[in-house]
Amino acid sequence: MIREALLTPNPYSRPQLQIRRVDAIVLHWVENPGSSAEANRRYFESLKDGTRKASAHYIIDAREIVRCIPETEVAYHAGPGRQYTPWALAKWGGEHANWYTIGIEHCHPDATGRFERPVVQRSQLLAADLCLTYDLDPAEAIILHNTVTGKDCPRWYVAHPEDLARYRDAVAEILEA
């Protein structure tokens, strides 16, 4: 179940810009060990005061999935463009990846960034639904923040690409069922 808790429209975390199309699903870690989806949602909400730009469409913890931004709108989760990898520059021609991607933040218990099993399972179900909705191939469309900017995010999957491969395979299996 997804709990809808949309951010207040504002230029820093919910600009209400229309997404152009969905080409990819970008996986992130919250980089705040032990925090909840709600705590990270409140952080994004606090940015409306103009401290910095950041948000995600979804945040997942061991208990729930929280939707912060509608999928039809841009979230500030994979930027800025001046820091993009060659892959991302080629994929989106130097435009912001945020115009073309859905961002999913994942809560984690410690600094290793390894997600708990319920977080991974919820994420895989959500990713499968998004792949089905937007006609995406999980093997190609499920990417890491690291793929876009080179950032160590999500740390566990950057360090353990075999677990990312298992994640994508599980999403493909859900789609085949």
Side-chain angles (χ1 to χ4, degrees), residues 23-77:
D23 289 341
I25 300 161
V26 181
L27 306 182
H28 302 266
W29 70 320
V30 297
E31 208 171 339
N32 187 12
S35 64
S36 67
E38 180 56 32
N40 286 282
R41 186 223 165 267
R42 284 193 308 267
Y43 168 71
F44 288 148
E45 180 69 17
S46 76
L47 298 178
K48 67 185 177 191
D49 297 329
T51 51
R52 64 181 289 233
K53 291 182 178 182
S55 58
H57 293 89
Y58 296 95
I59 309 169
I60 303 174
D61 67 20
R63 292 185 16 249
E64 67 178 344
I65 300 173
V66 176
R67 181 186 355 247
C68 299
I69 307 278
E71 292 166 17
T72 57
E73 294 180 19
V74 167
Y76 290 140
H77 65 95

Side-chain angles (χ1 to χ4, degrees), residues 80-95 147-148:
R82 68 183 177 279
Q83 297 172 347
Y84 284 162
T85 63
W87 180 89
L89 290 170
K91 175 88 173 160
W92 294 295
E95 291 190 74
T147 309
V148 178

